[in-house]
Amino acid sequence: PMVIQLERMVPTRADQGALERLVPSLRRSLGGVGDPLVEGTTLIWDTKDRASVRSVYARASAADGGTRLVVEEQYENMAWSIYGGVMGVLGGGVGLGVGFGVGFGVGFGALGTAAFATLFPLAALAGSFLLSRSLFSRYVRKRSGVLRHLMDELAELVERGGGPGAG
């Protein structure tokens, strides 16, 4: 997926102090990337730089009946980085460059057939795509686990009144 969004309604209504005590957990889980903004009964966390590979948004807002928590991370920039890097270097540069060289050299020279000359570069390109997909999937799975853990931690803090010193 290009976006993971988690939402949870906690039956405890957080006040401004409780929301402010969520910031250290956000900062720790998100690697310090982003800035918090607390206004009244709403906390918003957003990444500083939209051009960054990571794009994370979190919101905690108190309303009648509880506190709604939202954590979202977008992976478009990471996908461009991984696919562009791996397929550009391995697929386009090494795969096609070396692939055509080896393909034509071995295909036409040693084997006397155009099939190897055609299939070898395509196999190199397909291999770089599969490697990119594997790396991206692993990254998203890892980040998904971090976001789920963060959501559990935020919900527990809100239920306890906002933090270790609150309850």
Side-chain angles (χ1 to χ4, degrees):
M2 295 302 261
V3 176
I4 291 183
Q5 182 179 26
L6 306 174
E7 289 189 43
R8 188 176 301 175
M9 185 67 176
V10 180
T12 304
R13 189 175 194 285
D15 61 12
Q16 185 174 2
L19 294 174
E20 289 172 353
R21 288 187 292 273
L22 301 179
V23 171
S25 294
L26 286 162
R27 194 174 308 281
R28 183 178 53 256
S29 292
L30 303 176
V33 176
D35 285 315
L37 172 66
V38 179
E39 288 186 0
T41 57
T42 299
L43 161 68
I44 296 174
W45 178 279
D46 204 359
T47 55
K48 292 179 187 175
D49 183 9
R50 285 288 180 197
S52 170
V53 173
R54 292 184 58 203
S55 178
V56 183
Y57 173 82
R59 185 180 72 242
S61 52
D64 292 336
T67 304
R68 177 172 302 283
L69 301 172
V70 177
V71 178
E72 175 182 295
E73 186 165 12
Q74 296 184 7
Y75 301 107
E76 290 176 15
N77 291 344
M78 180 55 72
W80 279 106
S81 296
I82 291 175
Y83 281 86
V86 172
M87 291 193 67
V89 172
L90 292 180
V94 176
L96 293 180
V98 172
F100 278 123
V102 170
F104 280 107
V106 173
F108 287 121
L111 300 176
T113 177
F116 186 82
T118 305
L119 294 177
F120 190 81
L122 292 176
L125 195 58
S128 67
F129 174 78
L130 293 174
L131 176 61
S132 298
R133 183 177 170 98
S134 173
L135 291 172
F136 181 71
S137 295
R138 184 180 313 155
Y139 178 82
V140 170
R141 273 193 309 275
K142 180 182 174 188
R143 292 298 308 156
S144 175
V146 169
L147 294 180
R148 290 180 202 294
H149 178 75
L150 173 61
M151 179 61 81
D152 292 341
E153 186 177 345
L154 294 176
E156 183 180 326
L157 288 171
V158 168
E159 288 171 353
R160 289 194 329 219

